[in-house]
Structure formats: C-alpha cells, structure tokens
Amino acid sequence: MTTLRKSVSVSVFTKSFLGAGLVWLGGLSGCDNLNERFTGLWLIADENEAAPPWLGEGVILALGHYGPDLTGVVHFRDLNGLRLSTCACSFFESSRVDADIGRLSGYSKGCNPDDMVIWQLSIDDEEEPAYLQASVTLASSPQARTTFRLIRSQEFVATEWRACTP
Amino acid sequence: MRALLCLLMVLWTTQASAQTWRELEVVLLPGAFYQPLGDRLFREDPPQDLSESALLEHFQTQLAQYDLVKPQAIHTLTDTLSVDLRRMLTLAQERFDMGLSAWKALNPQDAVTHFERARELHREAFSDLLAPHLLAEVELYRGLALLDLGEQGLAHFAFAQSLFYAPEQRFQAGYYESSVEERLQAAALELQRITDVLSIRFSGERLSALGKALKRDYILVHARLQQKNETLLQVGLFDVRRASFAFRVQSKTPEAIPKELDYALSAWHTCALEVSRALVRKRESAPWSIELGYAHHVWLHHRPTRNFLQGPGVVLGVNHRFNSNLEFWAAYRQRVTLMDSNTDLLDVFTSGHLSTGLGLMIGPEVLRLSLRLGLELALSHADITATTDVDCKFFGPSHPRCGTTFQANNPAVWFGLEVGLRLRYMPVRSWYVSFDIGMNSYLLSQSLSSELNFPLHASIKLGIPF
C-alpha cells in the first residue's frame, strides 16, 4: 500500500478514491497492516540468554509503530525481569523504518545514561509469535556488539509499559 | 410601438400554431392503368397517357387544400431515400445491365440469373412501388431470356409480371418475333382477370414497409381499371402507423372522384390531426421521493494528517420535483471517518451532515441528470484528535515528549456550500436508483475548516416516489 501511495500521483480525485478504495478493500480482506508491524511488547526470547551489562541483563522493548514513524521505551531489567535500581528505562528513538522489508534502526541511551546504544532490528512476523532479531552496538565502543532475539509477548502496549521516568 | 407588438403577437401565434399541431406528410405514389389491350399492345406509335400525371397533380392539389397536410410526390423524395435504398437500386441496375449483356451475348442462362438477382434487389429497393417501370423492364427481359431457354411457362409469368408493374407498356409491332408477341399477348390477358386492382397492386405489407423506410405516416395510392366502356378509379390513403388503409374510395365516373375523395379526406383530416408531443402532458412520476443508500467520503483537505481521511456512511434523502427541470432536495448523511494508515487521526469519529438545496434536472424520466446546489450543516459526534507526532500517538497528548496535536472538541461544527451531480435511473415508476457525487466547501468555523475541509462524497441510493 505504501508503494501504491508513492506511485499514485495523478489527480487528487483519482488519488483519493483509489486510496479510499484500497483501504476499504484492505480492511474487508483482513490484510495485516504493515504500518503497525513493529508495534508490541518485545521480550528476550531465550530466558537464559543475558544481554550485556550496558543494556541491563534483561531488556524489554515497548514499541509503537505508526506508518513511517516509530517510538518506544527500552526497559532495563535483570534476568528475573525485575526493574534495575541503577537504570530503569530509556526512550527509543527511531532513525529509519523500512516496514516493507521489516527492518528498522534506532538508538537509545544505555543502562548508563552516558552511553548511546545503536539498535538494528529486523522482524519475522511470518511465525507466531513474531520475533525481532536485534543487533545492538555501544556507540562509544563499536566492538561491544551483541545480538539476541526478542519475541512479541503482546501486540498492545499497555500504558504502564509506555511510561518511562528514568 | 403598437404595430410592433401586433407583429410580435402574430409571429408568436404563428410559431405556436406550427409547434402545436403535427404536420401530416402524405406521399403520393405513381398509379397504374389496367385496361384490356387486345391488339393495342402492339402499336407503331404508342400514345402517351397524360391522364396519369394529371391525376397525380390533381390529388396533390386536393390534399394541399387541407391545413397542415403536406403532399409529396415520390419524385421529390428521391434525395431523402436512405443510402441503403439508393445503393440497392444501383446494384439492381448494375445486375440488370449484366443480364442484358449476357442475353445479347446469347447466354440466356446467365442472363436469367442476373435478371432474377436484379428483380430481388429492385424489390428490396421498393421499385415495385417507387419505380415500377424499372422492375417491368427486368421482368420483360427475364421473360425473353426464359423463352430462349425454352421455358415457356416461366416466360409467360415474367411477361405477366412486367405488364402488371407497367400496364401502360406498348410494343412496336414487328419488333419481336411473332412467337414472342403471342406470349406477350397471352400475358396481357392475365391482367383482365384483376378486379380489386388497388389491393393487388399496393399490398398493405409493402406500403407499410415503404412508409417506415421513408419515415412518412401516410401514402396515397391510386389505380384505374377499364371494364368494358367504363373506367373504375380507385384511390386509397394508407396509414403507415396502423398498417391499413385509412380510407378507400372508388368510382366508375371519374368526375365524381374529387367529390368523394374530398368527403373521405375531410373525415380523415378531422381525426388525423394530432397535437405535437411537446404539448402533450408528460406522464411523470410522483413529485415526492424518499431514498436510502450507502455513501462514502474522502476529506480532500486534511491538514492534521498526511494521508487522506475517508470512511463509509449512510444517506437518507427526500426530494420534491417542482417541474421537469427543477427540484428541491434534502439529505442527511451519517458518516464515520476512519483512522488513516499512519494513525495520524488518533481515533475514528462520526459526524452528521444535513444538507438541502435545489437541483436542475435534464434528461428523460428514465435517466435523469441533475446538478445540485445547496447548503450543509455538519456536526461531529466525537472529539477529533489528530497529529503527525509519533510521541503524541504513543505516549499521549499530555506527555512531555508530545509536540502539537490538532483537537476539535465535540461537537465540531461545519457549515458551507454543497455542489453535486446526480444520475437517476428509473426503470419503472415505483422505484429508482441514483448515483450521486458531490463536494462541500465549508466556510464557517475558520479554525476547523482550515484543518478539515472539502469532503468529496459519492453514494448509491435506492429511492421510492410517492
């Protein structure tokens, strides 16, 4: 649909009716909405897998995806899922979202507020539950790079996960 | 000044009367004179029958005396014949020429084939009614070719047909062999058996087809039949629409015909005059109608969102037709505006749109197009909140990261103009389907109309007149 939106640049009438028609037909046919495919609450897939300390040992992503835009909160947790006293959360800032190919990149602060963490995520939502392949780099030390897998535990992000008061 | 007014009145009256009554166009066909020929079939110097043209002229003059009757001799209509008829006539003539060449080249078999095709083409071109002498010529040569083939019986009938179409034919004595003359003489005897010459010469089926081809309502035909010392003159006026003779008169004293024809014409004229269709009150459907249908809309101006906003709805309408060109209309549309794909509109909102105005209609009752102009008042039934800031969407409008949002509190009010086009299809008087497309331009409430404006809407409705 995004491709169509880009290519259709005829008159405003044609554009509006075509767009309306496609949205309507899309809604009727129950197509998955690519514009929201990253939305959800994402947890580390393997309970035994630990993230590096600069991300806390456990990490939870609460993402909101709206078309070309994405925002969210990175929650730092220990392996038991408990909130860390040293670092609680950070806002996720997206820099590029390619919903069509299922990739996005962004950044956030690390567990240490002075650290900048660069995120590269690719989604596989063919399977149930969907998962994100994360490749995370510490900006100040490019060698400090880790990869892990996140699975979507909820498609709707509850208000408590959207809140972040570091 | 007064003179000018009088002149205008006269002109208006003349024009009105011309538009009021429908002109009766009567086509006059050439007639035929059937008489026992005996040895008169062969004459050194065939006499010219002047009475035929005099008769036609007389009928034309007599018809022209009646108001709104327009007599037309067939030779004046040659140009109005359809291309197909003229083409058919040309083809028939070409076939006749081919047949003649074959006959002269002593090839009677080919000649007969060509003459038969020429005969068919002449029939299709209505030569039996419009130019019978052409068909008579074809039949004559067909008969001669058949004689060459030894087909005596068929040749006899061909000669009889030839004389039937052109009974005024005379042949130079000694021009043909005596055996041919004998055959022609025998064929001429066939004509003496005819009594009701008008019905045989001008069949209803052929006249009806010709009238339709010429697009004329009446055809005047006549024929004469000599019986002993008397000449029977028959005149008939064929009504093409009814496919039958409006009247027929006949007399053995030709002098009495004008009077009898005048009586018949007078009676026919009284009933035949018709008021033109323009003045006949059209049967129109009931003036009121109510309709219900599905509507879809798209906001063409949508500043708070990047993508178009659109959604479905229902429409209920009432119409009142003042006359065939003007109507009053009112409609209520209940719309749902859906969230766009970027979710810039944070939630769906419903709105009610009440519009009314006048419509200018054109076209027949069954398929009518109208241009509608009116005013619309619209109210939203929910708050309208929209933003392109992703943080506002995710964290909420009150979050510190949220920049700006557009918010219109319930009820948001729009007021403005509506313009639309409507196509109504009414196959029967009890219901119709209409397709409408229109757009609004909101003027009131500048803060709202500068953000959301120009909804384009289309609908399909089912309506019932009452």
Side-chain angles (χ1 to χ4, degrees):
Chain A
M1 196 146 41
T2 310
T3 315
L4 259 177
R5 274 205 309 276
K6 284 176 185 168
S7 62
V8 177
S9 59
V10 277
S11 71
V12 73
F13 291 90
T14 313
K15 209 169 146 185
S16 57
F17 271 105
L18 190 61
L22 286 175
V23 167
W24 188 60
L25 288 174
L28 282 182
S29 62
C31 291
D32 287 337
N33 191 351
L34 290 178
N35 294 308
E36 298 173 359
R37 69 189 300 193
F38 289 105
T39 294
L41 191 68
W42 302 87
L43 312 176
I44 289 183
D46 187 349
E47 290 176 1
N48 300 319
E49 195 174 6
W54 40 270
L55 274 181
E57 289 176 317
V59 67
I60 296 171
L61 286 180
L63 299 180
H65 177 201
Y66 305 91
D69 309 316
L70 187 138
T71 191
V73 178
V74 184
H75 295 276
F76 303 111
R77 299 294 165 112
D78 64 14
L79 279 175
N80 297 319
L82 298 173
R83 184 184 168 114
L84 294 173
S85 56
T86 50
C87 53
C89 60
S90 165
F91 290 109
F92 186 95
E93 315 281 354
S94 74
S95 55
R96 183 183 174 88
V97 180
D98 287 322
D100 292 343
I101 57 171
R103 287 190 180 173
L104 76 88
S105 55
Y107 59 91
S108 70
K109 287 178 180 174
C111 191
N112 178 352
D114 296 331
D115 288 339
M116 178 67 75
V117 175
I118 298 167
W119 295 80
Q120 287 187 315
L121 303 169
S122 62
I123 193 168
D124 185 345
D125 48 9
E126 295 289 309
E127 293 180 15
E128 188 62 40
Y131 67 84
L132 279 179
Q133 187 64 45
S135 173
V136 192
T137 310
L138 191 62
S140 57
S141 171
Q143 299 89 342
R145 184 170 176 276
T146 184
T147 58
F148 51 88
R149 184 181 276 201
L150 298 155
I151 59 165
R152 180 151 54 197
S153 70
Q154 293 167 29
E155 287 191 12
F156 177 74
V157 182
T159 311
E160 69 217 55
W161 292 106
R162 298 182 192 213
C164 177
T165 46
Chain B
M1 187 64 185
R2 230 174 125 182
L4 184 67
L5 278 173
C6 284
L7 183 64
L8 284 173
M9 282 289 283
V10 168
L11 281 174
W12 181 82
T13 315
T14 313
Q15 239 178 7
S17 102
Q19 286 172 357
T20 305
W21 299 98
R22 194 158 166 268
E23 205 167 44
L24 303 170
E25 291 178 309
V26 182
V27 178
L28 283 84
L29 291 187
F33 186 18
Y34 296 90
Q35 50 188 321
L37 295 168
D39 56 359
R40 282 180 296 162
L41 187 62
F42 303 99
R43 302 278 293 266
E44 287 291 340
D45 181 20
Q48 293 290 314
D49 182 16
L50 299 175
S51 54
E52 171 60 27
S53 55
L55 265 176
L56 270 177
E57 200 173 323
H58 178 80
F59 292 145
Q60 201 163 352
T61 311
Q62 202 165 357
L63 280 165
Q65 289 171 357
Y66 288 89
D67 193 21
L68 290 166
V69 175
K70 189 180 171 189
Q72 296 168 311
I74 193 64
H75 63 81
T76 64
L77 292 174
T78 315
D79 294 341
T80 64
L81 292 178
S82 72
V83 178
D84 284 347
L85 281 185
R86 276 185 281 180
R87 191 166 153 267
M88 210 71 78
L89 195 61
T90 309
L91 285 173
Q93 286 294 85
E94 285 172 0
R95 275 289 184 161
F96 173 67
D97 292 342
M98 287 164 73
L100 210 54
S101 300
W103 183 64
K104 283 176 180 171
L106 304 177
N107 192 351
Q109 187 63 60
D110 283 357
V112 168
T113 310
H114 289 307
F115 290 141
E116 281 176 353
R117 182 65 187 136
R119 186 176 60 160
E120 288 167 18
L121 289 165
H122 268 305
R123 289 271 302 170
E124 287 176 39
F126 294 103
S127 293
D128 55 327
L129 299 172
L130 302 178
H133 60 283
L134 295 177
L135 196 50
E137 197 173 22
V138 173
E139 291 289 14
L140 175 67
Y141 280 97
R142 190 169 74 90
L144 292 171
L146 284 166
L147 273 186
D148 289 347
L149 290 172
E151 297 281 357
Q152 307 277 338
L154 292 174
H156 171 81
F157 286 114
F159 290 144
Q161 282 289 309
S162 178
L163 290 166
F164 173 70
Y165 288 125
E168 72 282 359
Q169 283 184 99
R170 299 294 179 271
F171 305 98
Q172 200 178 340
Y175 184 83
Y176 294 115
E177 292 173 14
S178 57
S179 60
V180 175
E181 285 190 355
E182 282 169 22
R183 287 287 157 198
L184 283 166
Q185 195 78 58
L189 289 173
E190 295 280 340
L191 300 182
Q192 292 181 25
R193 295 174 192 164
I194 298 173
T195 49
D196 187 359
V197 64
L198 203 66
S199 300
I200 295 172
R201 185 74 175 76
F202 303 102
S203 76
E205 187 190 346
R206 295 294 291 159
L207 287 173
S208 191
L210 176 67
K212 282 171 188 163
L214 294 176
K215 297 187 176 68
R216 296 293 188 280
D217 292 336
Y218 295 96
I219 302 173
L220 188 85
V221 292
H222 70 280
R224 286 171 292 158
L225 179 65
Q226 193 174 349
Q227 296 169 324
K228 295 176 185 171
N229 294 328
E230 295 171 324
T231 301
L232 178 72
L233 174 60
Q234 295 179 321
V235 184
L237 186 70
F238 189 79
D239 186 334
V240 175
R241 282 186 293 178
R242 292 188 179 143
S244 63
F245 279 96
F247 66 79
R248 284 178 56 166
V249 291
Q250 67 174 27
S251 173
K252 286 186 177 177
T253 49
E255 299 76 30
I257 273 286
K259 203 172 178 182
E260 289 185 24
L261 183 60
D262 202 33
Y263 289 149
L265 280 174
S266 180
W268 160 75
H269 183 254
T270 309
C271 301
L273 281 178
E274 290 176 4
V275 175
S276 75
R277 287 181 184 179
L279 286 187
V280 177
R281 186 186 172 88
K282 287 179 184 168
R283 286 184 63 220
E284 289 194 322
S285 59
W288 286 93
S289 62
I290 188 165
E291 56 198 28
L292 182 70
Y294 172 81
H296 203 95
H297 72 281
V298 180
W299 294 87
L300 297 183
H301 179 76
H302 49 92
R303 189 181 288 183
T305 66
R306 287 165 289 186
N307 282 349
F308 287 109
L309 293 175
Q310 51 82 34
V314 290
V315 55
L316 177 70
V318 178
N319 309 296
H320 177 70
R321 176 174 48 74
F322 295 118
N323 55 46
S324 57
N325 296 114
L326 186 67
E327 65 173 349
F328 158 81
W329 61 271
Y332 178 75
R333 301 183 190 93
Q334 182 74 18
R335 295 176 182 163
V336 180
T337 301
L338 303 173
M339 287 190 288
D340 57 305
S341 57
N342 296 330
T343 327
D344 289 346
L345 180 68
L346 296 186
D347 205 352
V348 297
F349 70 88
T350 55
S351 52
H353 301 249
L354 185 65
S355 48
T356 185
L358 295 173
L360 298 170
M361 303 181 288
I362 53 165
E365 184 78 9
V366 66
L367 191 67
R368 186 163 280 182
L369 183 73
S370 57
L371 171 68
R372 292 183 152 193
L373 298 168
L375 296 171
E376 184 184 282
L377 175 70
L379 288 103
S380 75
H381 302 148
D383 292 346
I384 304 169
T385 312
T387 181
T388 55
D389 188 329
V390 67
D391 289 321
C392 298
K393 296 175 193 174
F394 189 67
F395 299 109
S398 55
H399 197 276
R401 285 172 65 88
C402 174
T404 55
T405 57
F406 164 76
Q407 173 121 12
N409 292 328
N410 175 34
V413 179
W414 293 270
F415 180 76
L417 304 173
E418 169 155 345
V419 61
L421 270 177
R422 164 189 170 92
L423 185 67
R424 192 195 70 179
Y425 173 60
M426 193 174 198
V428 290
R429 290 180 183 280
S430 53
W431 61 271
Y432 63 83
V433 182
S434 80
F435 306 92
D436 296 48
I437 184 163
M439 197 169 78
N440 300 101
S441 173
Y442 296 126
L443 307 168
L444 201 70
S445 173
Q446 186 58 34
S447 60
L448 184 60
S449 57
S450 63
E451 301 296 322
L452 272 179
N453 206 339
F454 305 117
L456 180 71
H457 50 87
S459 60
I460 177 167
K461 293 177 279 189
L462 188 67
I464 300 168
F466 63 95

